[in-house]
Amino acid sequence: MPDLSNIVKAYDVRGVVPDEWDESLAELFGAAFVEVTGAGAIVVGHDMRPSSPGLSVAFARGAAARGVDVTLIGLCSTDQLYYASGSL
């Protein structure tokens, strides 16, 4: 298990893939997100980095395993994700 204090920040998760985090950890983050927030539905998008599609799908898988309705919107900007989160 990696030292999460190196990658989990106040408002985001940042780390080198796959050295500090990978898809298995992203799946655990998805499950933890649902446990902490109590969300019933979430929207997941990603940026243009090569590792992002796999990480976002893994996060979504972890969230869905906790019974959350997950909408994957794929490649998007932050503004698009905010809009989708409010409208979907």
Side-chain angles (χ1 to χ4, degrees), residues 53-80:
L55 292 173
S56 66
V57 168
F59 183 93
R61 188 171 49 245
R66 293 291 192 262
V68 169
D69 181 24
V70 178
T71 301
L72 285 165
I73 63 170
L75 179 63
C76 64
S77 68
T78 302
D79 292 340
Q80 288 170 317

Side-chain angles (χ1 to χ4, degrees), residues 5-28:
S5 67
N6 289 332
I7 62 173
V8 177
K9 307 303 179 196
Y11 297 101
D12 63 2
V13 177
R14 292 184 182 263
V16 177
V17 175
D19 298 336
E20 295 177 309
W21 71 304
D22 57 14
E23 291 178 15
S24 62
L25 189 54
E27 188 169 345
L28 293 173

